[in-house]
Amino acid sequence: MMPTSQQMLAAVQLALQEHVAPKIDDQWAQSALRSVEVILNHLQARVPVEGAMLHEDSRELVVLLTAARDRLSHDDPALATFLAEAPDLIDGYARVDALQALNHKGREAVDALLHACHARKGEAVADAVHADLRAWLLKHADRESGFFFPTYVGRPV
């Protein structure tokens, strides 16, 4: 049976801990190895869930950004690009790297819309769209926190 990506990452990490770390006396090399350990912890948390998270995140962005564009009567190149590419990609089987690129475009469109809302601050529709965008950003950050919190803040995964 072929090992999962998560199992391979764990095997690399174990080999580094058991066979490489004990033989390193140089402090800079030890520091670099600790950094590699943190990255491997991050990847072990991220790899098994990233694709599904990006898919769900991007699907929500299509709905959110379409509504925001329509409510604000706002068009922006980043927004247009995202909305043109997203449906075909998320309706099929997308690779994680393609979902990452799409999600990045969606977040660029969110940024452009936030600027548009800021320029129209005080208008009811702009303030409502701003609240929707902010709510999505908080949800997005919460989804990604599982990749970062245990790795960079808490104990290793």
Side-chain angles (χ1 to χ4, degrees), residues 61 65 78-79 82 101-111 136:
L61 271 174
L65 295 177
L79 179 59
F82 174 79
L102 178 69
N103 196 265
H104 183 76
K105 288 175 186 173
R107 286 180 280 134
E108 286 177 343
V110 167
D111 186 56
W136 179 84

Side-chain angles (χ1 to χ4, degrees), residues 32-97:
L33 192 57
R34 284 190 300 273
S35 295
V36 168
E37 176 99 12
V38 167
I39 291 167
L40 289 170
N41 283 338
H42 171 78
L43 289 172
Q44 285 185 62
R46 180 178 174 169
V47 164
V49 297
E50 184 177 25
M53 186 278 303
L54 287 167
H55 192 269
E56 182 179 351
D57 213 45
S58 297
R59 187 175 294 283
E60 287 179 7
L61 271 174
V62 170
V63 174
L64 175 71
L65 295 177
T66 300
R69 178 197 61 196
D70 295 345
R71 289 167 70 193
L72 291 174
S73 299
H74 178 81
D75 206 7
D76 174 90
L79 179 59
T81 299
F82 174 79
L83 291 176
E85 293 177 10
D88 288 340
L89 187 65
I90 60 178
D91 285 343
Y93 180 82
R95 297 183 332 255
V96 172
D97 61 334

Side-chain angles (χ1 to χ4, degrees), residues 86-156:
D88 288 340
L89 187 65
I90 60 178
D91 285 343
Y93 180 82
R95 297 183 332 255
V96 172
D97 61 334
L99 286 168
Q100 287 170 334
L102 178 69
N103 196 265
H104 183 76
K105 288 175 186 173
R107 286 180 280 134
E108 286 177 343
V110 167
D111 186 56
L113 282 166
L114 286 170
H115 285 285
C117 289
H118 182 72
R120 294 172 55 178
K121 189 174 183 174
E123 293 181 28
V125 71
D127 291 346
V129 168
H130 184 272
D132 291 346
L133 294 170
R134 185 177 188 282
W136 179 84
L137 285 167
L138 291 171
K139 190 174 187 178
H140 173 78
D142 186 54
R143 278 187 182 133
E144 283 195 339
S145 69
F147 300 163
F148 298 100
F149 183 76
T151 302
Y152 295 105
V153 179
R155 299 180 57 82

